[in-house]
Amino acid sequence: MNLTVRVSNVADNIALKRIGSGLVDVVATVGLPDSDDLLIAQRDGKIYRVSPATGSTTLWSTIGGLPTDNGHGLTGMAIDDTRRQNDLWVSVFDANNRMVVTGLAKFDTRYSYTSSGGILSFPMPAGSVPRGGALAADGAGGFYLVTGDGGQPGQVSDLNSPLGKIFHMIRNPDPYAGAALIYYLPDGMEGAGQNDGSLRAIWATGLHDPQDMWLNGSRLFIPDRGKAKADEFDTVDTAAGKSAFLGWPQLEGQDPVVDQPNPHNLLPSITFPISDNGPRIGPGRLSTSGTGLFAGQFVFGDDKGGLWTIAQKRMTPGAVLGLEVLAHHKADITTDQGTLSGITHIAVNRAGTFFIVDAGGDVFQVAAP
């Protein structure tokens, strides 16, 4: 019997509603723990509150005195929602060429913040790119910070260098035990930070150009752009991931860059081949909702406006999945206003709704069937 089989794409009809616009150089987006609103931070230190219910974008706080040349400025933001009094942390690359994580004052009824000093601080090479600087709450009152290799891949394996690392600071269970109050303690790997106290918080290493970082359950997710061969998503089990080596510069994706890479390198969960003028991997999030198109899915974007999904259960450390297992939804997307040209940030709010920040400064709410 002669058969002809025709395979057609079924559109998933992902509708984007623009709820904000006019933002510039967005570096971080987080959902508030006590509402469905978002906080969106710009490199210049301005933090905006965006309400999906009203479509309002209001200036919520400003961290002043930040230069924005050569990659300086605010780099990351995270909220600790594990306690009744929530904390917000920001990371900045300051005028003194130091990466500093600062804890801001607790929420009050006016949602205003004032600085309470640095928690983690270390020098970074002047003009270093890629630098990283994303933050993620650890779910227990502490936070993770990620850095890039600063164009110096030889420093990534050096535990006296901050380049290409994951840092972890935990909340001190007894901050009043010593002569001075100490609210956070470094949770670093053995041998880290012999020359700088903050480097004692180096928790893992092996990154090139991390674009984002977030925690879901016990898994830490990091989209890391490669240099020439492949971008990747790294998935680290926080219960067993301390001292992990995530590959770079010995591996790019799963491909060796050196003759004899360490056999104990942690392989990425997703590899994303680099091609001429092709998309580069961007931020992502896991669905916290049990219904709709994204139910049970890991969702991430690229810098060409593409949206990709894969089942969460497949995102495990060392799974080494390629494009063949990903669903690409760029052709399924429609916008009520504006266009999606490049995805720079993805956030999920308290209600489980997805939001996308575009490179052009628009904020879209995802209305997936």
Side-chain angles (χ1 to χ4, degrees), residues 138-150:
D138 70 1
F143 60 85
Y144 293 95
L145 170 76
V146 67
T147 60
D149 73 358

mmCIF file with all atom_site columns, all heavy atoms in Angstrom, residues 138-150:
data_model
loop_
_atom_site.group_PDB
_atom_site.id
_atom_site.type_symbol
_atom_site.label_atom_id
_atom_site.label_alt_id
_atom_site.label_comp_id
_atom_site.label_asym_id
_atom_site.label_entity_id
_atom_site.label_seq_id
_atom_site.pdbx_PDB_ins_code
_atom_site.Cartn_x
_atom_site.Cartn_y
_atom_site.Cartn_z
_atom_site.occupancy
_atom_site.B_iso_or_equiv
_atom_site.pdbx_formal_charge
_atom_site.auth_seq_id
_atom_site.auth_comp_id
_atom_site.auth_asym_id
_atom_site.auth_atom_id
_atom_site.pdbx_PDB_model_num
ATOM 1  N N   . ASP A 1 138 ? 17.970 30.759 48.276 1.00 0.00 ? 138 ASP A N   1
ATOM 2  C CA  . ASP A 1 138 ? 18.194 29.321 48.441 1.00 0.00 ? 138 ASP A CA  1
ATOM 3  C C   . ASP A 1 138 ? 17.053 28.607 49.147 1.00 0.00 ? 138 ASP A C   1
ATOM 4  O O   . ASP A 1 138 ? 17.127 27.401 49.372 1.00 0.00 ? 138 ASP A O   1
ATOM 5  C CB  . ASP A 1 138 ? 19.514 29.059 49.160 1.00 0.00 ? 138 ASP A CB  1
ATOM 6  C CG  . ASP A 1 138 ? 19.502 29.455 50.639 1.00 0.00 ? 138 ASP A CG  1
ATOM 7  O OD1 . ASP A 1 138 ? 18.451 29.932 51.137 1.00 0.00 ? 138 ASP A OD1 1
ATOM 8  O OD2 . ASP A 1 138 ? 20.548 29.290 51.309 1.00 0.00 ? 138 ASP A OD2 1
ATOM 9  N N   . GLY A 1 139 ? 15.989 29.337 49.493 1.00 0.00 ? 139 GLY A N   1
ATOM 10 C CA  . GLY A 1 139 ? 14.835 28.715 50.132 1.00 0.00 ? 139 GLY A CA  1
ATOM 11 C C   . GLY A 1 139 ? 14.981 28.500 51.618 1.00 0.00 ? 139 GLY A C   1
ATOM 12 O O   . GLY A 1 139 ? 14.067 27.981 52.262 1.00 0.00 ? 139 GLY A O   1
ATOM 13 N N   . ALA A 1 140 ? 16.120 28.893 52.186 1.00 0.00 ? 140 ALA A N   1
ATOM 14 C CA  . ALA A 1 140 ? 16.347 28.694 53.619 1.00 0.00 ? 140 ALA A CA  1
ATOM 15 C C   . ALA A 1 140 ? 16.897 29.951 54.270 1.00 0.00 ? 140 ALA A C   1
ATOM 16 O O   . ALA A 1 140 ? 17.512 29.878 55.333 1.00 0.00 ? 140 ALA A O   1
ATOM 17 C CB  . ALA A 1 140 ? 17.297 27.515 53.846 1.00 0.00 ? 140 ALA A CB  1
ATOM 18 N N   . GLY A 1 141 ? 16.700 31.111 53.627 1.00 0.00 ? 141 GLY A N   1
ATOM 19 C CA  . GLY A 1 141 ? 17.153 32.363 54.197 1.00 0.00 ? 141 GLY A CA  1
ATOM 20 C C   . GLY A 1 141 ? 18.482 32.861 53.668 1.00 0.00 ? 141 GLY A C   1
ATOM 21 O O   . GLY A 1 141 ? 18.945 33.927 54.070 1.00 0.00 ? 141 GLY A O   1
ATOM 22 N N   . GLY A 1 142 ? 19.121 32.099 52.767 1.00 0.00 ? 142 GLY A N   1
ATOM 23 C CA  . GLY A 1 142 ? 20.375 32.513 52.165 1.00 0.00 ? 142 GLY A CA  1
ATOM 24 C C   . GLY A 1 142 ? 20.214 32.697 50.671 1.00 0.00 ? 142 GLY A C   1
ATOM 25 O O   . GLY A 1 142 ? 19.106 32.686 50.139 1.00 0.00 ? 142 GLY A O   1
ATOM 26 N N   . PHE A 1 143 ? 21.337 32.829 49.961 1.00 0.00 ? 143 PHE A N   1
ATOM 27 C CA  . PHE A 1 143 ? 21.257 33.097 48.532 1.00 0.00 ? 143 PHE A CA  1
ATOM 28 C C   . PHE A 1 143 ? 22.475 32.529 47.799 1.00 0.00 ? 143 PHE A C   1
ATOM 29 O O   . PHE A 1 143 ? 23.524 32.261 48.400 1.00 0.00 ? 143 PHE A O   1
ATOM 30 C CB  . PHE A 1 143 ? 21.165 34.595 48.257 1.00 0.00 ? 143 PHE A CB  1
ATOM 31 C CG  . PHE A 1 143 ? 22.335 35.400 48.775 1.00 0.00 ? 143 PHE A CG  1
ATOM 32 C CD1 . PHE A 1 143 ? 23.507 35.551 48.037 1.00 0.00 ? 143 PHE A CD1 1
ATOM 33 C CD2 . PHE A 1 143 ? 22.264 36.017 50.014 1.00 0.00 ? 143 PHE A CD2 1
ATOM 34 C CE1 . PHE A 1 143 ? 24.574 36.263 48.526 1.00 0.00 ? 143 PHE A CE1 1
ATOM 35 C CE2 . PHE A 1 143 ? 23.324 36.753 50.516 1.00 0.00 ? 143 PHE A CE2 1
ATOM 36 C CZ  . PHE A 1 143 ? 24.495 36.877 49.760 1.00 0.00 ? 143 PHE A CZ  1
ATOM 37 N N   . TYR A 1 144 ? 22.302 32.355 46.493 1.00 0.00 ? 144 TYR A N   1
ATOM 38 C CA  . TYR A 1 144 ? 23.377 31.995 45.578 1.00 0.00 ? 144 TYR A CA  1
ATOM 39 C C   . TYR A 1 144 ? 23.685 33.187 44.674 1.00 0.00 ? 144 TYR A C   1
ATOM 40 O O   . TYR A 1 144 ? 22.795 33.962 44.321 1.00 0.00 ? 144 TYR A O   1
ATOM 41 C CB  . TYR A 1 144 ? 22.974 30.816 44.690 1.00 0.00 ? 144 TYR A CB  1
ATOM 42 C CG  . TYR A 1 144 ? 22.787 29.507 45.416 1.00 0.00 ? 144 TYR A CG  1
ATOM 43 C CD1 . TYR A 1 144 ? 21.526 29.107 45.842 1.00 0.00 ? 144 TYR A CD1 1
ATOM 44 C CD2 . TYR A 1 144 ? 23.866 28.649 45.647 1.00 0.00 ? 144 TYR A CD2 1
ATOM 45 C CE1 . TYR A 1 144 ? 21.343 27.898 46.490 1.00 0.00 ? 144 TYR A CE1 1
ATOM 46 C CE2 . TYR A 1 144 ? 23.693 27.442 46.299 1.00 0.00 ? 144 TYR A CE2 1
ATOM 47 C CZ  . TYR A 1 144 ? 22.431 27.071 46.719 1.00 0.00 ? 144 TYR A CZ  1
ATOM 48 O OH  . TYR A 1 144 ? 22.248 25.865 47.361 1.00 0.00 ? 144 TYR A OH  1
ATOM 49 N N   . LEU A 1 145 ? 24.951 33.325 44.283 1.00 0.00 ? 145 LEU A N   1
ATOM 50 C CA  . LEU A 1 145 ? 25.401 34.315 43.317 1.00 0.00 ? 145 LEU A CA  1
ATOM 51 C C   . LEU A 1 145 ? 26.237 33.594 42.271 1.00 0.00 ? 145 LEU A C   1
ATOM 52 O O   . LEU A 1 145 ? 27.017 32.689 42.610 1.00 0.00 ? 145 LEU A O   1
ATOM 53 C CB  . LEU A 1 145 ? 26.247 35.392 43.998 1.00 0.00 ? 145 LEU A CB  1
ATOM 54 C CG  . LEU A 1 145 ? 26.981 36.376 43.070 1.00 0.00 ? 145 LEU A CG  1
ATOM 55 C CD1 . LEU A 1 145 ? 26.010 37.396 42.491 1.00 0.00 ? 145 LEU A CD1 1
ATOM 56 C CD2 . LEU A 1 145 ? 28.120 37.092 43.823 1.00 0.00 ? 145 LEU A CD2 1
ATOM 57 N N   . VAL A 1 146 ? 26.088 33.979 40.995 1.00 0.00 ? 146 VAL A N   1
ATOM 58 C CA  . VAL A 1 146 ? 26.833 33.328 39.926 1.00 0.00 ? 146 VAL A CA  1
ATOM 59 C C   . VAL A 1 146 ? 27.658 34.369 39.178 1.00 0.00 ? 146 VAL A C   1
ATOM 60 O O   . VAL A 1 146 ? 27.219 35.505 38.994 1.00 0.00 ? 146 VAL A O   1
ATOM 61 C CB  . VAL A 1 146 ? 25.868 32.581 38.973 1.00 0.00 ? 146 VAL A CB  1
ATOM 62 C CG1 . VAL A 1 146 ? 24.975 33.534 38.214 1.00 0.00 ? 146 VAL A CG1 1
ATOM 63 C CG2 . VAL A 1 146 ? 26.619 31.670 38.031 1.00 0.00 ? 146 VAL A CG2 1
ATOM 64 N N   . THR A 1 147 ? 28.873 33.998 38.763 1.00 0.00 ? 147 THR A N   1
ATOM 65 C CA  . THR A 1 147 ? 29.744 34.902 38.019 1.00 0.00 ? 147 THR A CA  1
ATOM 66 C C   . THR A 1 147 ? 30.231 34.235 36.738 1.00 0.00 ? 147 THR A C   1
ATOM 67 O O   . THR A 1 147 ? 30.309 33.010 36.646 1.00 0.00 ? 147 THR A O   1
ATOM 68 C CB  . THR A 1 147 ? 30.969 35.321 38.853 1.00 0.00 ? 147 THR A CB  1
ATOM 69 O OG1 . THR A 1 147 ? 31.728 34.151 39.201 1.00 0.00 ? 147 THR A OG1 1
ATOM 70 C CG2 . THR A 1 147 ? 30.553 36.058 40.109 1.00 0.00 ? 147 THR A CG2 1
ATOM 71 N N   . GLY A 1 148 ? 30.599 35.081 35.742 1.00 0.00 ? 148 GLY A N   1
ATOM 72 C CA  . GLY A 1 148 ? 31.188 34.603 34.510 1.00 0.00 ? 148 GLY A CA  1
ATOM 73 C C   . GLY A 1 148 ? 32.706 34.576 34.594 1.00 0.00 ? 148 GLY A C   1
ATOM 74 O O   . GLY A 1 148 ? 33.297 34.957 35.619 1.00 0.00 ? 148 GLY A O   1
ATOM 75 N N   . ASP A 1 149 ? 33.341 34.148 33.488 1.00 0.00 ? 149 ASP A N   1
ATOM 76 C CA  . ASP A 1 149 ? 34.799 33.972 33.541 1.00 0.00 ? 149 ASP A CA  1
ATOM 77 C C   . ASP A 1 149 ? 35.569 35.245 33.225 1.00 0.00 ? 149 ASP A C   1
ATOM 78 O O   . ASP A 1 149 ? 36.797 35.248 33.253 1.00 0.00 ? 149 ASP A O   1
ATOM 79 C CB  . ASP A 1 149 ? 35.240 32.831 32.628 1.00 0.00 ? 149 ASP A CB  1
ATOM 80 C CG  . ASP A 1 149 ? 35.179 33.170 31.141 1.00 0.00 ? 149 ASP A CG  1
ATOM 81 O OD1 . ASP A 1 149 ? 34.760 34.284 30.785 1.00 0.00 ? 149 ASP A OD1 1
ATOM 82 O OD2 . ASP A 1 149 ? 35.543 32.293 30.320 1.00 0.00 ? 149 ASP A OD2 1
ATOM 83 N N   . GLY A 1 150 ? 34.874 36.359 32.923 1.00 0.00 ? 150 GLY A N   1
ATOM 84 C CA  . GLY A 1 150 ? 35.546 37.633 32.719 1.00 0.00 ? 150 GLY A CA  1
ATOM 85 C C   . GLY A 1 150 ? 36.548 37.618 31.587 1.00 0.00 ? 150 GLY A C   1
ATOM 86 O O   . GLY A 1 150 ? 37.475 38.433 31.574 1.00 0.00 ? 150 GLY A O   1
#
